Amino acid sequence: MERKNVVLEKSIAFALEVIRFTEMLQDQKKFVIANQMLKSGTSIGAMIHEAQNAESKADFIHKLKIAAKELEETRYWILLCERSEYYENPKQLKEQVNELGLILYKILSTSYKTKP
């Protein structure tokens, strides 16, 4: 029986939600934030997926650190939308990015502690 990889599944679900939200922003002609959020929000999962085939533990950590940077950038765009009176509040995205961040940072923390 194959075990589910929670971080992979959550990163896909988050990316799909980012796509939905940014398409709505694009329909409202809010292209700058939509494009920035689309790039960083979907990049999180791409880097997590890439880390699954890392060449070494150091490479694995490096790729997850890039995913964490993209996650923090996405949090920034979500925060701008949340605080702006001209944008819809992306409450669901905020919850998902926070949950994904907890998992990602836990994996990184554990990876630093384990020996190669």
Side-chain angles (χ1 to χ4, degrees):
M1 186 166 148
E2 190 176 325
R3 248 176 87 186
K4 272 190 161 183
N5 187 324
V6 174
V7 75
L8 288 176
E9 294 299 321
K10 291 202 178 282
S11 70
I12 291 169
F14 180 70
L16 292 171
E17 189 62 27
V18 166
I19 291 167
R20 186 202 63 74
F21 185 77
T22 57
E23 284 178 349
M24 187 237 357
L25 290 180
Q26 289 171 346
D27 290 345
Q28 297 173 3
K29 304 201 182 319
K30 296 177 175 166
F31 300 111
V32 174
I33 299 239
N35 290 337
Q36 293 292 114
M37 188 184 295
L38 181 63
K39 288 177 188 176
S40 64
T42 56
S43 183
I44 299 165
M47 292 310 301
I48 290 170
H49 276 72
E50 195 173 320
Q52 304 309 300
N53 292 305
E55 296 174 11
S56 64
K57 180 180 173 184
D59 187 38
F60 176 79
I61 290 171
H62 176 71
K63 287 177 182 3
L64 288 186
K65 284 175 75 176
I66 293 170
K69 286 180 176 185
E70 296 294 337
L71 184 133
E72 293 305 330
E73 180 181 342
T74 305
R75 276 189 178 153
Y76 173 75
W77 300 120
I78 290 169
L79 181 64
L80 288 183
C81 291
E82 180 182 56
R83 292 190 181 176
S84 173
E85 62 185 87
Y86 305 107
Y87 285 78
E88 183 177 323
N89 187 341
K91 189 175 182 177
Q92 185 176 351
L93 274 181
K94 184 177 180 180
E95 291 170 5
Q96 285 181 292
V97 80
N98 288 339
E99 186 177 352
L100 188 55
L102 289 173
I103 296 166
L104 185 56
Y105 288 119
K106 180 66 176 174
I107 293 169
L108 278 168
S109 174
T110 303
S111 296
Y112 285 126
K113 292 176 185 172
T114 59
K115 295 186 183 211

